[in-house]
Amino acid sequence: MALLLYVLVLGQLFHRCWAEALDHTAAKCSKIPAPRVPGAKVLSISSALRLNHTEPQSSPILDHTIDNINVCEVNVTLRHTGANDTVSVQTWLPVHQWNKRFVAVGGGAWAAGTGLVSLAEPASQGYAASTTDGGLIGSPYSPELWALNADGSVNMDLLTNFASRSIHDMAIVGKAVTASFYSHAAKYSYWNGCSTGGRQGMVAAQKYPKDFDGVLAGSPAIYWTEYVIAELWPQVVMKAENYFPTQCEYEAIVQAGIAACDGLDKVKDNVITQPSHCKFDPFTVVGKKLQCPSAKEEVVINEKLASIVSKIWDGPRDRHGKSLWYGLEIGASLWNLAETGEANGTRFGKPVFVADGWTRFFVKRDPKFDTASVDTDALVQLFRESRETFDEIIGSANPDLSRFKKSGGKLIMWHGLADQLIFPQGSVRYYEEVKRVLGGSKATLDFFRLFLAPGVDHCGYGPTPGAVPSPFNDLVSWVEKGRAPEKIEAKTLPTSAVQFTRKICRYPLVAKYQGWGDKASSDSYKCMRDC
Ligand SMILES: *[C@@H]1O[C@H](CO)[C@@H](O)[C@H](O)[C@H]1NC(C)=O
Ligand SMILES: *[C@@H]1O[C@H](CO)[C@@H](O)[C@H](O)[C@H]1NC(C)=O
Ligand SMILES: *[C@@H]1O[C@H](CO)[C@@H](O)[C@H](O)[C@H]1NC(C)=O
Ligand SMILES: *[C@@H]1O[C@H](CO)[C@@H](O)[C@H](O)[C@H]1NC(C)=O
């Protein structure tokens, strides 16, 4: 009885304390002052508790529903001096068990950020987290609502926000509201992004080297002015052959390439470990009847298809044979960059939305420009115009990371080797450039490591056969405990037909099977030099 009373009283007390604490938290949340942002005017700030919030699963950004999120939500809008923009930065500050860290979450495709949904996971893990729209309006799939001014010129205010400026705004605003809510600054700050978000992370390291202690950049859209134009090459090739293959034809030939090179690493798992070592010639399957996996149909491979695919894998060249950029790796799906459609019995090419938007709205400044009409000479011209006009603004590939290194920053870049949208060779090229600028491997490995994930598609989005790394915690332990990662432990997606774990080794090391043990277990592999 006495015990029961005791428990009841304690329960009451606890309840009252909890309610008071919540009142106190609510008051604190509602009183966050507007931060000062250099080069901009804060237009508004609003903040309120968001309690017991459920963020539903939303593919590909959030792969599971998260319940019971309790945060102080802070919306800040700002306008840059002399610009006609309204930028929104949204921050979630966990009410319980803040881990003393701040993370800025990057965007994707044409979006500087993907909104509150991208904050759910970090906030549920105790991170104060921010996202920004960069002042851009419309869909992540097209820049048409913001790219051009009324007079037809490029909207440089918003392009600058998308390219770089909004990254720094988010760091300033996010850190400031974090510090005022908790009454002390975050101990560590991070960037986490993939694709456009990966590019933004690289820009942070290049241009705002003091903003983040650690940057995770997945499949980064760097060398933007070049790789985006290179995405049109498959369409140029199809037009030249006047042949527009079906998805089934492409799948069948990619599967033949995987089958030919899967065993080079002594492990048959539908994954090519080193696509650069795969010398599969598509002409060797001309005349053969092959399966296309998803439609469960058979197609006979013809010469035009083989010719198109060999050129896509080789990458864009001018009419004299000079290489302009990389091709897709063998194993990557061709269906995004080489997509086709059919109407009234006629097949035609469908240029991918990133390249189409960039070409029409920025390079050509002509929304009516027909990207599907581009031939080899026009592509060469587009490469030149894109680079000359925009590289300074959005190239995002300055290899001088000395200031980031000097300020103690750590950078993990990773890229899937079966990425169908952004060529992983660009990440390798960037890494090599940094090594050259900073004076070698050791000077680079001290703060910057690249991880190439075999058989993994863009940002690890499924379906994808390879083991998908999620290196964020590796970055945190590098920054906070000084543990430089030699490898990232990865596993296949739950939806994969074949399940395995695998090490993703820091470039240029490669995970090699030891010759004994379970081939499906990461333990049976060692990171070794490629020889
Ligand atoms: C923040 O902005 C979103 C719209 O983007 C809105 O739904 C939400 O209520 C706002 N929150 C606060 C605290 O003002
Ligand atoms: C939290 O929300 C869930 C469903 O959204 C509900 O079932 C639960 O009762 C709520 N809990 C509290 C403490 O309000
Ligand atoms: C400012 O941008 C808005 C659209 O966001 C547009 O309607 C308006 O015309 C612009 N003003 C100027 C002066 O360019
Ligand atoms: C297909 O033919 C119909 C009828 O002639 C026409 O209205 C339509 O625009 C055509 N579609 C395409 C994509 O050419």
Side-chain angles (χ1 to χ4, degrees), residues 119-382:
L119 306 183
E121 180 121 48
S124 72
Q125 296 165 348
Y127 287 86
S130 290
T131 177
T132 181
D133 65 5
L136 315 179
I137 42 177
S139 139
Y141 296 105
S142 170
E144 68 177 318
L145 296 184
W146 60 266
L148 298 173
N149 294 314
D151 66 1
S153 60
V154 168
N155 186 332
M156 291 306 289
D157 292 342
L158 294 184
L159 181 61
T160 304
N161 289 356
F162 177 63
S164 58
R165 187 159 55 177
S166 63
I167 300 160
H168 189 52
D169 295 335
M170 172 154 61
I172 301 277
V173 170
K175 288 186 198 181
V177 300
T178 299
S180 42
F181 181 64
Y182 299 111
S183 304
H184 56 93
K187 219 165 151 191
Y188 298 102
S189 298
Y190 294 94
W191 177 273
N192 189 3
C194 197
S195 197
T196 278
R199 181 187 64 72
Q200 293 169 306
M202 296 311 301
V203 171
Q206 294 160 23
K207 204 165 177 171
Y208 311 112
K210 290 182 192 302
D211 279 1
F212 303 101
D213 302 297
V215 169
L216 175 58
S219 317
I222 54 174
Y223 301 105
W224 173 275
T225 61
E226 292 163 278
Y227 101 79
V228 172
I229 301 300
E231 287 186 328
L232 293 175
W233 174 245
Q235 300 288 334
V236 171
V237 169
M238 290 189 291
K239 196 174 120 71
E241 294 279 355
N242 193 25
Y243 186 67
F244 298 89
T246 62
Q247 183 168 12
C248 185
E249 287 180 279
Y250 279 130
E251 268 187 16
I253 206 160
V254 167
Q255 195 51 47
I258 294 174
C261 295
D262 183 1
L264 291 179
D265 56 5
K266 315 271 192 301
V267 181
K268 286 274 193 181
D269 53 4
N270 228 16
V271 168
I272 304 173
T273 300
Q274 291 172 281
S276 58
H277 291 195
C278 176
K279 302 295 174 222
F280 173 65
D281 176 357
F283 285 98
T284 58
V285 289
V286 168
K288 292 209 168 124
K289 196 186 257 188
L290 300 178
Q291 276 273 334
C292 61
S294 76
K296 299 202 166 59
E297 280 169 23
E298 288 190 323
V299 281
V300 177
I301 304 301
N302 64 39
E303 203 142 318
K304 281 185 182 258
L305 176 66
S307 169
I308 288 168
V309 170
S310 77
K311 286 177 185 154
I312 293 175
W313 284 341
D314 180 49
R317 291 184 185 272
D318 71 10
R319 56 161 72 218
H320 310 294
K322 184 173 161 269
S323 170
L324 298 164
W325 199 249
Y326 308 98
L328 288 171
E329 294 283 27
I330 301 178
S333 164
L334 304 179
W335 191 238
N336 246 305
L337 301 192
E339 192 172 337
T340 59
E342 189 189 322
N344 301 336
T346 307
R347 300 197 59 81
F348 54 89
K350 294 167 88 175
V352 69
F353 67 95
V354 176
D356 183 54
W358 179 246
T359 302
R360 287 195 289 137
F361 293 100
F362 294 94
V363 185
K364 289 320 235 186
R365 293 173 294 283
D366 174 8
K368 294 206 181 67
F369 181 81
D370 179 11
T371 315
S373 74
V374 171
D375 61 11
T376 299
D377 287 345
L379 189 79
V380 172
Q381 174 81 8
L382 284 175

Side-chain angles (χ1 to χ4, degrees), residues 425-486:
Q425 303 95 319
S427 289
V428 173
R429 175 197 182 117
Y430 181 79
Y431 188 82
E432 293 294 341
E433 286 272 291
V434 172
K435 245 167 66 180
R436 191 178 53 74
V437 170
L438 295 191
S441 273
K442 165 93 181 54
T444 307
L445 288 171
D446 281 351
F447 79 103
F448 173 20
R449 293 178 179 220
L450 168 63
F451 295 84
L452 300 174
V456 173
D457 202 345
H458 191 58
C459 294
Y461 299 150
T464 192
V468 178
S470 38
F472 190 74
N473 290 337
D474 300 271
L475 177 67
V476 170
S477 80
W478 193 5
V479 167
E480 300 180 15
K481 302 201 182 93
R483 286 195 203 124
E486 282 291 294

